[in-house]
């Protein structure tokens, strides 16, 4: 232990190797202990320093120059009579001359590299680097960190108190790394700011040069606004639209090209002037020509064709008689029917027949009202609605616009597009339609709107009320045969790389494909099956399979005649059967008629009874209305047992079960009421239902048969299923006129007011059952 004079340093730290001048009186001491002090709290470790010189400061004060030698740990303190404070010091000099370990050398190299990078970032004097390279001892190298002006008092004290050289160097390296990271971030920020400023300055000069070039070429801002002004003057704009366009053009001139708002104004002007104001297609008002075009493109669909011909004829008559066109007399047709019946494709034929442009807008899945009305200009990236875009694409104000799948429009928090369609599809309002983006009135009265849907149930009532509904109830087998021969077969030949006349098929084979491989209201699956058949044939012709006789026929130019074997090979086994005779051979099964989203269909109602608790079980995914129909049917049969010649004992301690296959398909509606009564009566009287009979109608507890809907589709389904007799409610007698003549002549219709009339036609005679 060595006793040395303690010299406190307020908020300062002196490291070994440093030389400082202190305004203190050290008497005649040769060495002192310099100890950092903060708020009268001394550090545990100080620096043993040699007093190398005594100097006199201006004003007569004394000062000493001291040089730090090494660290010293302060021990017990004692105050001398002269008032000076001495402490016992455990001197801790760094060991010099020892070979440092490899790890210590790595730390030393990394420290030097970090400090060099810091000095480079700071642009420090090269003499500092030279001073750093002159330090050879690891401890002294770590103490050199004390020269850094970025270390605070606590960090300096912590570094001073590290007696172990390795720990001291690690701590110094950590401080320098923090400093380096901070400097790098500052440099990156400074570089980004400088590069941004340079870029802005560069763009400024380039824009000035571009302005000069534009002025030389006559393409400056004045020419852009002049171009808009010329377009506005040349176009046949409504007065309101012209005023709006000139107002926006004035704003564009005021804000200038450099403003961020100028691009928004120019986009708005581009859209406003893109609408074909005053442009109209020259309509061809020839009813005979329109009918011929529609007949050439589509078989059947007489209702639609008649309505289009009527529209053209009325318009022609008004024009010939000089009657001004009424903006509230627009045509808005809605085609409702199963998929594949030609609703979408007939829109193009209507446009061709009337000489108008055709635009299709798909509305399936649309949930945003702005899709119809457009976005307001306050939003970034705002655009007009689909109607404005359709008019722009058409280039005229009187195109045929098809609103496809209008029954599949959704609604969510963004709005209800079907509500926006109320104005569009109302002839009394759409002559003043206002798009949110353009914010001017658009006259849509010249547009022929054609909406399509599969079902009317999902179309909101107010919207459906504005539409002129034309129902597509599907095609008969003969019509499908004509469509396949005249349209589908030639189209599939071309799509599969076959020449006209290269492959032939008989009407009998086409009928086989229609009846045995498809059972749909439309012809989409029929075309798919024909395509499959012709692809197989094209594969054989191309030699993908071994068929030398087919290759020879094709090479010789002889048409390839398809046989039933080729159909079975390409399409597989028969998929649809006329199974009414088999299904109704036993009592308790009746054939009903129904309407689905895909058209009419035949369904079988099965009834059975078993010993058990009296009650009724229904299966087959029946809806509430259909379950109630089953309960009504059982109640009617039980209440009129004597009239139906049913023994009352057959109801005692017996449970009844009504099932409607197929069980995986949900079913609902009241029109199966008479079918359920017939099935239960057949079961309880042991009289089978005639296999040629199909029936439909709602039944009441008094046995009345009420009218139903979808007569045409149900009759077409019965005809396709091979039924020859159809029982309908008496009040549906007039609906038979909608059924094609071919089907009406092939079937017998029985109209019933009561259940007794239904059963008289539907059930086999009692003598047949008794004889059996």
């Amino acid at each position: 232990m060595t006793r040395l004079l303690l010299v406190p340093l307020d908020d300062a730290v002196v490291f070994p190797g440093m030389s400082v001048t202190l305004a203190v009186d050290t008497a005649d001491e040769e060495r002192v202990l310099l100890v950092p002090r903060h708020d009268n709290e001394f550090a545990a470790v100080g620096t043993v320093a040699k007093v190398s010189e005594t100097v006199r400061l201006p004003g007569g004060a004394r000062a000493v120059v001291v040089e730090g030698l090494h660290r010293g740990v302060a021990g017990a303190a004692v105050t001398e009579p002269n008032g000076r404070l001495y402490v016992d010091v455990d001197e801790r000099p760094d060991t010099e001359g020892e070979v440092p370990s490899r790890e210590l050398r790595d730390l030393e190299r990394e420290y030097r590299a970090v400090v060099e990078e810091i000095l480079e970032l700071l642009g420090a004097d090269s003499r500092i680097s030279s001073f750093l390279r002159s330090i050879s001892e690891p401890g002294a190298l770590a103490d050199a960190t004390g020269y850094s002006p970025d270390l605070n008092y606590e960090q300096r004290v912590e570094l001073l108190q590290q007696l172990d050289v390795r720990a001291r160097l690690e701590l110094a390296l950590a401080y320098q790394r923090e400093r380096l990271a901070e400097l790098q971030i500052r440099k990156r920020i400074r570089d980004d700011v400088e590069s941004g400023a340079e870029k802005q300055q560069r763009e400024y000069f380039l824009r000035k040069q571009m302005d000069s070039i534009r002025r030389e070429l006559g393409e400056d801002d004045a020419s852009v606004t002049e171009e808009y002004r010329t377009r506005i003057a040349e176009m046949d704009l409504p007065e309101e639209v012209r005023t709006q366009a000139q107002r926006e053009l004035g704003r564009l001139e005021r804000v200038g090209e450099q403003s961020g708002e100028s691009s928004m104004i120019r986009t708005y002007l581009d859209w406003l002037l893109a609408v074909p104001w005053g442009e109209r297609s020259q309509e061809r008002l020839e009813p005979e020509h329109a009918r011929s075009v529609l007949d050439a493109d589509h078989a059947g669909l007489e209702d639609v064709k008649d309505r289009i011909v009527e529209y053209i004829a009325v318009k022609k008559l008004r024009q010939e008689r000089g009657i001004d066109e009424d903006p509230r007399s627009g045509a808005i047709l809605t085609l409702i029917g199963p998929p594949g019946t030609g609703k979408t494709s007939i829109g193009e034929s209507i446009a061709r027949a009337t000489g108008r442009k055709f635009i299709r807008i798909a509305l399936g899945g649309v949930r945003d009202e702005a899709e119809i009305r457009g976005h307001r200009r306050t939003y970034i990236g705002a655009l007009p609605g689909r109607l404005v875009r359709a008019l722009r694409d058409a280039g005229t104000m009187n195109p045929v616009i098809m609103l496809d799948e209008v029954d599949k429009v959704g609604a969510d928090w963004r709005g209800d597009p079907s509500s926006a369609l109320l104005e569009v599809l109302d002839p009394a309002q759409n002559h003043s339609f206002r798009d949110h983006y353009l914010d001017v009135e658009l006259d849509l009265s010249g547009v022929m709107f054609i909406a399509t849907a599969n079902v009317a149930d999902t179309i909101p009532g107010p919207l459906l009320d504005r539409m002129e509904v034309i129902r597509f109830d599907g095609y008969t087998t003969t019509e499908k045969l004509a469509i396949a021969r005249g349209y589908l077969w030639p189209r599939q030949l071309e799509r599969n790389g076959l020449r006209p006349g290269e492959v032939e098929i008989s009407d009998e084979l086409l009928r086989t494909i229609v009846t045995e491989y498809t059972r749909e209201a439309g012809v989409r699956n029929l075309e798919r099956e024909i395509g499959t058949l012709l692809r197989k044939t094209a594969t054989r012709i191309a030699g993908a399979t071994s068929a030398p006789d087919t290759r020879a026929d094709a090479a010789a130019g002889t048409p390839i005649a398809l046989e039933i074997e080729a159909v079975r090979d390409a399409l597989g086994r028969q998929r649809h059967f006329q199974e009414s005779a088999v299904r109704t051979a036993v009592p308790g099964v009746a054939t009903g008629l129904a309407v689905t989203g895909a058209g009419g269909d035949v369904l079988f109602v099965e009834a059975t009874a078993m010993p058990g608790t009296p009650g009724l079980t229904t299966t087959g995914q029946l809806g509430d209305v259909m379950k109630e129909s089953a309960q009504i049917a059982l109640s009617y049969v039980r209440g009129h047992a004597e009239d139906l010649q049913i023994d009352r004992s057959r109801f005692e301690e017996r449970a009844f079960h009504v099932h409607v296959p197929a069980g995986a398909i949900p079913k609902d509606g009241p029109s199966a009421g008479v079918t359920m009564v017939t099935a239960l009566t057949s079961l309880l009287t042991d009289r089978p239902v005639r296999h040629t009979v199909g029936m439909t109608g709602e039944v009441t507890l008094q046995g009345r048969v009420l009218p139903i809907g979808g007569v045409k589709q149900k009759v077409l389904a019965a005809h396709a299923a091979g039924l020859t007799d159809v029982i309908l409610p008496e009040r549906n007698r007039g609906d038979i006129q909608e059924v094609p003549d071919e089907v009406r002549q092939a079937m017998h219709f029985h109209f019933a007011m009561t259940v007794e009339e239904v059963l008289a036609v539907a059930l086999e005679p009692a003598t047949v059952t008794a004889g059996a």
Side-chain angles (χ1 to χ4, degrees):
M1 286 284 189
T2 305
R3 178 167 291 184
L4 298 176
L5 175 66
L6 186 146
V7 178
L9 302 176
D10 290 329
D11 297 327
V13 180
V14 174
F15 286 89
M18 288 186 178
S19 178
V20 295
T21 301
L22 301 174
V24 296
D25 183 9
T26 58
D28 296 327
E29 299 290 339
E30 295 182 356
R31 297 196 308 167
V32 295
L33 181 66
L34 306 177
V35 180
R37 181 176 66 181
H38 177 71
D39 292 338
N40 291 324
E41 183 178 348
F42 290 88
V45 178
T47 301
V48 177
K50 180 180 70 174
V51 180
S52 59
E53 186 179 357
T54 301
V55 297
R56 186 177 297 277
L57 298 175
R62 291 170 58 90
V64 294
V65 178
V66 295
E67 297 179 2
L69 300 176
H70 48 260
R71 285 167 173 75
V73 180
V78 61
T79 303
E80 295 290 338
N82 55 11
R84 292 187 175 89
L85 180 64
Y86 288 83
V87 293
D88 294 332
V89 180
D90 180 10
E91 299 187 38
R92 297 291 186 88
D94 295 337
T95 304
E96 298 183 3
E98 290 187 0
V99 178
S101 65
R102 180 176 180 179
E103 186 175 355
L104 195 58
R105 286 200 304 271
D106 292 341
L107 283 172
E108 184 179 346
R109 280 196 296 270
E110 186 173 359
Y111 178 87
R112 292 180 186 276
V114 170
V115 174
E116 287 287 349
E117 194 169 351
I118 291 174
L119 295 176
E120 182 180 352
L121 289 173
L122 292 173
D125 195 305
S126 60
R127 289 176 293 180
I128 300 178
S129 299
S130 300
F131 168 74
L132 186 68
R133 287 192 292 271
S134 67
I135 302 174
S136 59
E137 295 296 331
L141 187 64
D143 289 339
T145 305
Y147 289 105
S148 174
D150 300 301
L151 295 184
N152 56 35
Y153 173 80
E154 288 77 11
Q155 290 174 324
R156 293 173 187 270
V157 170
E158 184 180 6
L159 185 63
L160 178 66
Q161 292 180 344
Q162 287 290 349
L163 302 178
D164 181 67
V165 174
R166 176 181 169 184
R168 191 189 316 156
L169 191 56
E170 288 177 346
L171 182 60
L173 180 59
Y175 288 156
Q176 299 294 14
R177 280 175 177 164
E178 290 180 7
R179 174 61 175 159
L180 176 61
E182 181 182 351
L183 289 174
Q184 287 174 336
I185 292 174
R186 287 183 181 180
K187 183 177 184 302
R188 193 179 307 120
I189 294 173
R190 185 171 61 252
D191 291 345
D192 290 344
V193 172
E194 290 177 355
S195 64
E198 291 175 358
K199 182 180 179 182
Q200 290 179 352
Q201 199 171 26
R202 180 170 173 269
E203 287 181 354
Y204 174 77
F205 286 120
L206 288 175
R207 290 187 185 279
K208 286 298 183 183
Q209 292 176 357
M210 289 174 62
D211 291 342
S212 300
I213 294 172
R214 284 199 185 108
R215 278 194 297 272
E216 291 295 329
L217 296 175
E219 298 177 356
D220 56 349
D221 290 351
S223 64
V224 173
T225 56
E226 191 60 36
E227 178 185 349
Y228 279 119
R229 185 172 285 107
T230 302
R231 290 173 60 187
I232 293 171
E234 292 176 351
M235 293 183 66
D236 183 16
L237 301 177
E239 192 58 36
E240 179 193 4
V241 178
R242 187 179 300 278
T243 303
Q244 178 71 5
Q246 291 172 346
R247 184 185 302 119
E248 292 297 323
L249 184 59
R251 287 184 59 212
L252 179 63
E253 290 177 322
R254 289 193 298 273
V255 300
E257 185 68 23
Q258 306 299 326
S259 172
E261 193 177 358
S262 65
S263 62
M264 298 175 61
I265 299 175
R266 292 181 63 174
T267 302
Y268 174 80
L269 284 172
D270 288 339
W271 274 110
L272 187 65
L273 300 180
V275 177
W277 306 100
E279 297 291 335
R280 300 178 70 87
S281 299
Q282 186 63 39
E283 288 187 272
R284 188 168 182 176
L285 302 178
E286 300 176 12
E288 298 81 5
H289 167 75
R291 184 68 190 212
S292 63
V293 170
L294 295 173
D295 287 338
D297 289 349
H298 291 80
L301 308 180
E302 299 302 323
D303 293 343
V304 185
K305 295 176 182 178
D306 290 343
R307 181 62 182 87
I308 299 303
V309 172
E310 291 167 3
Y311 170 80
I312 295 175
V314 169
K315 194 157 190 178
K316 178 182 180 181
L317 198 61
R318 291 176 65 94
Q319 189 179 86
E320 290 176 349
R321 297 183 176 182
I323 303 175
D324 293 336
E325 188 172 350
D326 185 0
R328 295 174 175 82
S329 62
I332 299 174
L333 307 181
T334 301
L335 314 179
I336 299 179
T341 51
K343 299 184 299 298
T344 302
S345 61
I346 201 171
E348 298 184 39
S349 299
I350 293 173
R352 199 156 63 88
T354 56
R356 300 185 180 205
K357 296 294 183 66
F358 175 75
I359 297 294
R360 174 179 169 270
I361 300 178
L363 295 179
V366 172
R367 295 178 174 272
D368 190 355
E369 180 200 0
E371 290 285 337
I372 307 298
R373 288 188 172 275
H375 301 84
R376 298 193 182 277
R377 292 173 60 193
T378 52
Y379 298 110
I380 299 297
L383 285 174
R386 291 197 182 189
L387 289 170
V388 173
R389 283 178 268 173
L391 293 176
R392 178 203 61 181
D393 296 341
T396 66
M397 295 297 288
N398 63 335
V400 174
I401 295 182
M402 171 159 284
L403 304 176
D404 213 5
E405 310 293 355
V406 74
D407 59 326
K408 298 176 181 61
V409 173
D412 59 11
W413 56 271
R414 290 169 291 190
D416 184 1
S418 61
S419 298
L421 288 173
L422 291 175
E423 180 183 0
V424 175
L425 298 182
D426 189 348
Q429 300 181 44
N430 63 10
H431 63 281
S432 58
F433 173 75
R434 186 176 290 270
D435 184 89
H436 284 163
Y437 181 81
L438 297 182
D439 200 25
V440 293
E441 287 189 356
L442 278 167
D443 184 5
L444 301 180
S445 61
V447 178
M448 179 184 289
F449 286 103
I450 301 176
T452 70
N454 294 130
V455 293
D457 300 342
T458 56
I459 302 176
L463 183 60
L464 188 63
D465 183 60
R466 286 164 166 79
M467 299 173 172
E468 182 178 343
V469 176
I470 300 176
R471 297 194 175 271
F472 281 41
D473 294 320
Y475 299 107
T476 65
T477 301
T478 303
E479 287 175 336
K480 288 183 180 180
L481 194 60
I483 293 171
R485 174 65 69 190
Y487 303 95
L488 307 184
W489 184 262
R491 186 160 64 197
Q492 287 300 321
L493 280 175
E494 189 272 333
R495 287 183 180 177
N496 290 284
L498 300 172
R499 292 187 294 271
E502 189 172 1
V503 182
E504 293 183 350
I505 188 171
S506 64
D507 288 347
E508 290 74 16
L509 274 184
L510 277 178
R511 186 179 295 274
T512 299
I513 297 175
V514 170
T515 58
E516 296 185 6
Y517 290 92
T518 67
R519 184 166 289 177
E520 56 175 343
V523 292
R524 192 167 287 157
N525 284 333
L526 176 59
E527 182 173 11
R528 197 172 291 124
E529 299 298 341
I530 292 175
T532 302
L533 177 61
L534 288 178
R535 281 197 305 274
K536 297 286 186 181
T537 306
T539 303
R540 291 199 296 272
I541 292 176
T545 59
S546 58
D549 53 341
T550 304
R551 293 293 301 274
D553 289 344
T558 304
I560 300 171
L562 298 179
E563 302 292 342
I564 186 63
E565 292 77 12
V567 174
R568 299 294 187 205
D569 177 63
L571 305 183
R573 62 179 179 81
Q574 180 178 348
R575 296 177 195 159
H576 300 285
F577 301 87
Q578 295 183 357
E579 53 184 348
S580 177
V582 178
R583 297 287 289 271
T584 60
V586 295
V589 181
T591 306
L593 305 175
V595 175
T596 68
D601 200 2
V602 172
L603 55 83
F604 297 94
V605 176
E606 301 175 347
T608 187
M610 66 212 81
T613 303
L616 175 66
T617 301
T618 57
T619 55
Q621 284 209 58
L622 308 186
D624 292 339
V625 176
M626 206 164 183
K627 290 179 181 178
E628 292 171 357
S629 296
Q631 188 63 57
I632 292 171
L634 180 59
S635 299
Y636 174 81
V637 173
R638 188 190 296 269
H640 296 77
E642 289 81 2
D643 299 337
L644 300 175
Q645 299 179 357
I646 300 174
D647 188 353
R648 288 247 175 225
S649 61
R650 304 201 66 170
F651 294 100
E652 297 175 358
E653 301 300 325
R654 304 192 75 186
F656 291 88
H657 186 163
V658 174
H659 175 64
V660 185
I665 302 174
K667 313 167 192 70
D668 203 1
S671 63
V674 296
T675 313
M676 292 179 173
V677 171
T678 303
L680 289 168
T681 305
S682 171
L683 172 71
L684 294 170
T685 59
D686 293 323
R687 297 167 61 187
V689 178
R690 292 170 56 194
H691 67 272
T692 60
V693 174
M695 63 196 76
T696 180
E698 182 179 356
V699 70
T700 69
L701 286 174
Q702 286 75 36
R704 304 284 296 178
V705 179
L706 302 183
I708 42 78
V711 170
K712 181 180 177 181
Q713 296 186 44
K714 292 177 180 179
V715 172
L716 292 178
H719 181 257
L723 303 178
T724 59
D725 294 84
V726 174
I727 302 174
L728 297 170
E730 174 64 35
R731 289 168 60 184
N732 286 115
R733 183 184 291 271
D735 296 329
I736 294 301
Q737 301 304 317
E738 299 178 1
V739 178
D741 293 338
E742 169 204 352
V743 177
R744 287 209 306 269
Q745 295 171 6
M747 305 191 74
H748 300 287
F749 297 98
H750 307 273
F751 301 98
M753 287 289 291
T754 63
V755 170
E756 289 83 357
E757 297 174 14
V758 173
L759 298 178
V761 176
L763 297 180
E764 295 283 4
T767 55
V768 176
T769 305

